[in-house]
Amino acid sequence: MQVSVRDNNVEQALRALKKKLQREGVFREMKLKEHFEKPSVKRAREQAEAIRRARKLARKKAQRENGL
């Protein structure tokens, strides 16, 4: 990952880097790897996340259809 510093503005470059890391999910992954997660717990969490994503997608799709 690369962020360019323009006009010696390090704060702006740091903000851009943080935003890129956030979008890539690096912070979330670091948080998950802080402690060991049992495979059964991991499977349940991933399944719950998938259900949440599907519901969110369905909500957005329904909202788009109702808006037309």
Side-chain angles (χ1 to χ4, degrees):
M1 192 167 298
Q2 187 175 7
V3 176
S4 59
V5 179
R6 296 186 204 128
D7 302 327
N8 287 332
N9 195 345
V10 178
E11 286 89 24
Q12 184 179 5
L14 193 58
R15 275 196 303 267
L17 177 65
K18 284 183 179 179
K19 190 180 282 190
K20 280 187 178 185
L21 290 172
Q22 183 76 33
R23 246 184 271 132
E24 291 291 321
V26 174
F27 293 126
R28 187 170 184 278
E29 188 176 328
M30 283 173 32
K31 185 179 176 186
L32 285 172
K33 291 188 183 241
E34 280 180 358
H35 304 286
F36 177 75
E37 187 176 27
K38 289 179 14 183
S40 60
V41 174
K42 181 178 180 180
R43 199 167 31 253
R45 177 184 51 79
E46 287 176 347
Q47 198 170 22
E49 288 173 358
I51 291 169
R52 218 174 291 121
R53 279 192 308 270
R55 284 182 181 159
K56 184 176 181 180
L57 186 66
R59 235 184 359 258
K60 283 186 174 186
K61 188 175 181 182
Q63 189 178 22
R64 268 189 255 124
E65 289 175 356
N66 290 338
L68 295 175

